[in-house]
Amino acid sequence: TVPGGDPVLTPDELDAVAAFVHAGGGLVVLGEEEQDKYANNLNELLARFGIAIENATVQDYEHHREAPSWVLADLVRPNGDRAAGGADPLAGVGEACFYRAGTLAVEEGVRVIARTSLEATPPRRPLAVTATHGEGRVVALSDSDLFGDDCIAELDHEALFTDVLYWLAEPTFAAPPATPASDAASDPAWLRLKDATAEL
């Protein structure tokens, strides 16, 4: 969607992103309505995580803001209002609008966190999902406008963006900090200085 360049990820790039996530990285993928017109291969990447962006446009005449294509999401919370352990990608989120959104298809094991309403066309389709892959995590949303400069301050979009990033980063927070190797630690002069300091 930007001038110049190729929106298609190479096989090596697809492998690199998947390996990054598997090793504990976090990935956010933003789809759009009528996804196919963008000529990218995000679905080839998302297939590795059990997710696909459908070529659709959601309309909801019952649950919307200003226009039927500005869809108010039905937020999906497990166990009432509490996430099942760990960070909650919907903490502090009460309302979110997906502007000209498409929908997502998911395989078993992918958690739906936002979907269209029963009255929407199409009904009860995923708008935002989370998935795990190896040690890492993935979030896919069917719209990017809710995080754009003109919309992120609306409703609870900023909280949703913050919560999603925190949920993605949680495995990194939980990992013990890496101790960098020190050349000085094995230097004989350092060892003599260390012993002399301890003796003092």
Side-chain angles (χ1 to χ4, degrees):
T1 61
V2 295
D6 187 345
V8 176
L9 297 167
T10 68
D12 286 347
E13 289 169 333
L14 293 169
D15 289 344
V17 173
F20 167 76
V21 174
H22 193 272
L27 173 67
V28 178
V29 177
L30 303 175
E32 302 292 347
E33 68 167 343
E34 299 177 346
Q35 178 66 30
D36 291 354
K37 70 185 178 185
Y38 295 100
N40 59 47
N41 62 339
L42 287 181
N43 275 334
E44 194 174 340
L45 173 63
L46 285 172
R48 297 169 183 234
F49 313 115
I51 306 166
I53 304 167
E54 297 178 316
N55 192 53
T57 301
V58 178
Q59 300 286 324
D60 192 334
Y61 288 86
E62 298 292 325
H63 309 278
H64 66 271
R65 295 186 77 211
E66 299 181 31
S69 60
W70 292 13
V71 176
L72 290 172
D74 178 11
L75 302 177
V76 182
R77 302 177 194 277
N79 305 323
D81 284 340
R82 295 177 57 100
D88 182 357
L90 295 178
V93 180
E95 200 171 27
C97 180
F98 285 66
Y99 303 87
R100 297 173 297 278
T103 57
L104 304 171
V106 298
E107 295 176 6
E108 190 174 341
V110 175
R111 176 183 166 208
V112 176
I113 61 171
R115 64 185 172 207
T116 62
S117 75
L118 188 60
E119 294 78 24
T121 304
R124 295 294 209 202
R125 297 298 302 152
L127 295 171
V129 301
T130 65
T132 57
H133 180 73
E135 298 298 316
R137 296 179 174 184
V138 178
V139 173
L141 299 102
S142 62
D143 172 50
S144 66
D145 288 345
L146 75 166
F147 298 143
D149 291 343
D150 56 341
C151 298
I152 195 162
E154 300 292 326
L155 303 177
D156 297 316
H157 298 166
E158 188 172 355
L160 177 60
F161 190 63
T162 302
D163 292 343
V164 159
L165 295 181
Y166 191 89
W167 182 82
L168 288 168
E170 188 175 25
T172 302
F173 296 154
T179 303
S182 169
D183 292 335
S186 59
D187 187 315
W190 165 253
L191 298 174
R192 286 193 305 275
L193 176 60
K194 182 179 172 187
D195 290 342
T197 303
E199 188 176 329
L200 285 173

